[in-house]
Amino acid sequence: MYKKYLLLVACGLILTGCGGGGESTFDSNTSTNGNGNGNGNGNGNGKYLVVPKDYDKPDGDKVKVYYTIHPATSSKQRIGILLLNFGGPGSTAADRLLSQVSSMPTSITESFDIVAMDPRGAGKSAFARELMTCAVIGSCDSTYKEISPYMGSNAVIQDMDSLREHLNEEQINYLGYSYGTRLGALYAERYPTKIRALVLDSSMSPLHQNYEELRIDQAQGHHKIANYRLDSKPKSMAKLNDIVTQTKDSDYTANDSGTLKKDDVNKILGEMTNPMRDLLNNLRGISWSESKLGLSLSALFDKDKAQPFICWKTQCETESNNLSFSHIPKESFTSDEKRSSAMFRSVMCTDERIPLDDSDIEGNEDKYLASSSIYGDYLKENLSGLCKGWTAQRSPIASQSEIENKITEQVLIVGGLYDPQTSYNWSVEMKDTITNAALITIADTVGHGFSYNGIGSCLDDIVTNYLLEPEIKVTDQQCQRVKKISYRYSNENPTVPVNSAHSGDIHL
């Protein structure tokens, strides 16, 4: 069962807004005494903060969480701290700080000490070593029982507030991507007076009671993206649906004698929702419909010709570059990818408010198909069952009504209309939950994690102005990605910018 969850990394389906780092290195991160506290700085020399292992037992065992700070460049303009979280759960944060800071405007870097903290289980923080050890072996059940009750989102938001207190700040400003939006909303619910500004980019939904509800709901978001890719053509969508249905039990042979197997169709489904496609097409100065993949799928769905896609797939799988677009799992995973996947399971299952019995998880295929006849089986087969067999103690997160009743200050929410990791309706549901919230919609790209990530000044100016003056009312509006034409399509492979902060190990 464990190997299946590694597909979350391979498929790019973990809830993160930020590209992955390399192998983690670990210092001692568990303590029963001493303080070890200090102020990290943004040049990579972070510090540890000692916190209770169990906040219900503040005088008990202690653990360490790792953080780093990029100090505000202007003491005169300084407002406070801006805490970043890039998503996951499973991703590090501290080692990504400088990359993110480089994409931010001067007005932000002058005004805030920008802070990143590795959550428990990641980077150099507590429990990362334990998770990596069990993940490499391939069996984490006993480890989950020991540490998962202290690794959920509830523990992380208390660490966030401990860091605020340690830094002597009355309030925090917060920018969270993807799963980081859950942390931001939960922090604001528990500590409503400690939030000055809250940006939730690519929001999770406050409605989901458990992991299965999340994935079932995600299927309809993927269905919407497929419709967008196919220019909302009913005949093309019907053809895709027919091919998906037929290849459940047999191969599909097109009019040009090209044959598609189920793995081929799964690859098509994965590529249609792959946010990296839009990033690379934008760098090439072309649209999806102008790309070789888009043209091959038009031939398949409009003319019933499979050979162009087969040719594209063969070229894609043999070309040598530093990006993989395949939904097919890699032959091997780094130890940190295994740790990340183990952490994802630990946090998602620990957070569940209303967990399902194993029998309910096994028998929910109809719910997936009701969400999407095209993507239901795909997500059911690849992603369902994450919390099946979970025996560790849970720490249920706050409900929608609790969030609704506690958060009163203005919140800025950013949602992508065609976001494959956190469906757009999740951002709408978060906006509807928080009474005083504005929703900025990114409408013309398949992507995830948008602020300070190449969308352009329309979005970045809104986020910046809000962080600087959160008391000024923001209205709902729509932004489009700036077209950055570097060259037309050729044999040259574009390079993904180093600062593409949301293009890597996407978990959700």
Side-chain angles (χ1 to χ4, degrees):
M1 179 181 290
Y2 177 75
K3 184 177 180 181
K4 177 179 179 180
Y5 305 127
L6 286 173
L7 298 183
L8 292 166
V9 176
C11 298
L13 289 168
I14 295 182
L15 297 166
T16 191
C18 193
E23 291 286 318
S24 291
T25 57
F26 300 93
D27 296 330
S28 175
N29 56 20
T30 304
S31 173
T32 56
N33 52 46
N35 60 52
N37 291 332
N39 291 319
N41 61 55
N43 65 7
N45 298 319
K47 297 292 183 180
Y48 287 103
L49 175 69
V50 176
V51 296
K53 176 182 177 181
D54 181 352
Y55 278 91
D56 289 335
K57 300 177 181 178
D59 296 326
D61 289 347
K62 309 297 182 183
V63 295
K64 296 179 182 179
V65 292
Y66 183 79
Y67 71 98
T68 189
I69 300 176
H70 182 278
T73 58
S74 171
S75 58
K76 183 178 180 180
Q77 299 296 325
R78 185 185 182 279
I79 294 173
I81 62 171
L82 173 59
L83 181 60
L84 305 181
N85 184 282
F86 302 114
S91 302
T92 60
D95 63 352
R96 304 178 185 185
L97 180 62
L98 288 182
S99 176
Q100 184 69 9
V101 167
S102 69
S103 70
M104 291 177 154
T106 301
S107 57
I108 293 296
T109 57
E110 284 182 342
S111 302
F112 297 100
D113 293 341
I114 304 175
V115 184
M117 179 186 76
D118 286 342
R120 299 180 182 208
K124 296 182 180 181
S125 286
F127 308 130
R129 186 201 311 274
E130 292 89 336
L131 281 178
M132 183 174 289
T133 299
C134 76
V136 170
I137 295 171
S139 177
C140 284
D141 286 348
S142 61
T143 302
Y144 286 146
K145 289 182 179 180
E146 293 177 4
I147 68 175
S148 289
Y150 317 110
M151 274 190 54
S153 296
N154 287 331
V156 176
I157 61 172
Q158 291 178 92
D159 289 342
M160 290 163 55
D161 200 58
S162 293
L163 181 58
R164 175 196 62 77
E165 289 185 345
H166 172 66
L167 297 176
N168 297 314
E169 295 290 334
E170 288 295 321
Q171 294 180 309
I172 69 168
N173 304 276
Y174 183 84
L175 169 57
Y177 299 92
S178 197
Y179 163 73
T181 64
R182 171 178 285 186
L183 294 175
L186 293 176
Y187 182 90
E189 184 275 333
R190 185 180 287 250
Y191 307 103
T193 64
K194 303 302 182 182
I195 281 283
R196 176 182 173 274
L198 178 63
V199 181
L200 307 179
D201 189 316
S202 305
S203 183
M204 293 185 69
S205 172
L207 300 183
H208 299 142
Q209 304 283 10
N210 53 64
Y211 174 82
E212 292 297 319
E213 286 187 7
L214 181 153
R215 290 305 185 192
I216 290 168
D217 197 17
Q218 191 176 43
Q220 65 175 311
H222 284 200
H223 194 106
K224 183 177 182 179
I225 294 170
N227 189 56
Y228 169 69
R229 291 295 200 200
L230 300 180
D231 296 325
S232 302
K233 297 177 182 177
K235 290 184 178 180
S236 296
M237 286 293 286
K239 187 67 174 179
L240 173 58
N241 190 80
D242 289 345
I243 293 173
V244 168
T245 301
Q246 181 168 328
T247 51
K248 290 179 182 178
D249 303 311
S250 61
D251 295 345
Y252 175 82
T253 302
N255 283 339
D256 61 354
S257 299
T259 299
L260 300 176
K261 300 181 180 296
K262 185 174 182 178
D263 279 350
D264 296 320
V265 176
N266 281 346
K267 183 171 181 63
I268 290 172
L269 296 178
E271 293 292 354
M272 292 181 79
T273 58
N274 189 338
M276 291 296 291
R277 283 292 163 200
D278 279 36
L279 174 63
L280 291 184
N281 288 339
N282 190 43
L283 289 171
R284 290 167 171 151
I286 60 174
S287 66
W288 163 270
S289 61
E290 295 173 308
S291 68
K292 290 183 179 180
L293 175 58
L295 291 169
S296 73
L297 294 183
S298 292
L300 175 61
F301 301 133
D302 297 341
K303 302 177 182 178
D304 197 31
K305 294 183 178 181
Q307 290 292 353
F309 172 75
I310 294 171
C311 179
W312 174 87
K313 185 191 72 167
T314 302
Q315 178 184 1
C316 174
E317 292 180 350
T318 57
E319 68 183 3
S320 176
N321 59 41
N322 65 335
L323 295 170
S324 172
F325 299 104
S326 176
H327 77 287
I328 299 172
K330 296 187 295 184
E331 292 298 321
S332 62
F333 296 86
T334 68
S335 56
D336 196 55
E337 286 173 330
K338 294 178 181 179
R339 176 210 55 79
S340 177
S341 186
M343 179 178 169
F344 181 82
R345 186 178 187 221
S346 178
V347 175
M348 296 305 292
C349 299
T350 298
D351 281 359
E352 289 188 321
R353 286 192 293 267
I354 304 179
L356 299 177
D357 293 335
D358 287 358
S359 60
D360 292 328
I361 295 174
E362 293 172 353
N364 63 6
E365 182 177 359
D366 289 347
K367 293 181 179 180
Y368 277 90
L369 289 174
S371 183
S372 171
S373 59
I374 293 173
Y375 276 94
D377 272 339
Y378 177 75
L379 293 184
K380 168 66 176 176
E381 291 179 6
N382 286 292
L383 299 178
S384 178
L386 183 75
C387 298
K388 182 180 174 182
W390 186 258
T391 58
Q393 179 182 339
R394 287 182 166 87
S395 177
I397 60 174
S399 66
Q400 179 200 26
S401 60
E402 290 171 319
I403 294 172
E404 182 178 24
N405 292 331
K406 292 287 186 67
I407 301 177
T408 58
E409 297 300 321
Q410 180 175 226
V411 175
L412 184 63
I413 301 171
V414 181
L417 200 58
Y418 307 109
D419 185 334
Q421 271 68 53
T422 52
S423 300
Y424 179 68
N425 63 292
W426 300 0
S427 291
V428 174
E429 289 162 0
M430 184 65 82
K431 197 256 183 185
D432 290 342
T433 296
I434 300 173
T435 303
N436 188 11
L439 175 60
I440 310 303
T441 299
I442 311 303
D444 65 338
T445 187
V446 176
H448 179 69
F450 304 101
S451 301
Y452 306 123
N453 193 36
I455 295 299
S457 59
C458 174
L459 173 63
D460 292 351
D461 287 352
I462 293 171
V463 174
T464 297
N465 291 336
Y466 166 76
L467 288 172
L468 295 176
E469 298 180 290
E471 68 280 0
I472 296 179
K473 183 67 177 176
V474 182
T475 58
D476 294 354
Q477 52 193 289
Q478 191 173 103
C479 289
Q480 295 183 338
R481 180 187 289 275
V482 172
K483 304 301 180 184
K484 296 182 178 179
I485 300 177
S486 56
Y487 54 86
R488 302 298 294 177
Y489 191 88
S490 69
N491 290 328
E492 182 181 358
N493 288 319
T495 300
V496 176
V498 173
N499 196 34
S500 178
H502 314 290
S503 59
D505 54 327
I506 298 173
H507 286 220
L508 247 171

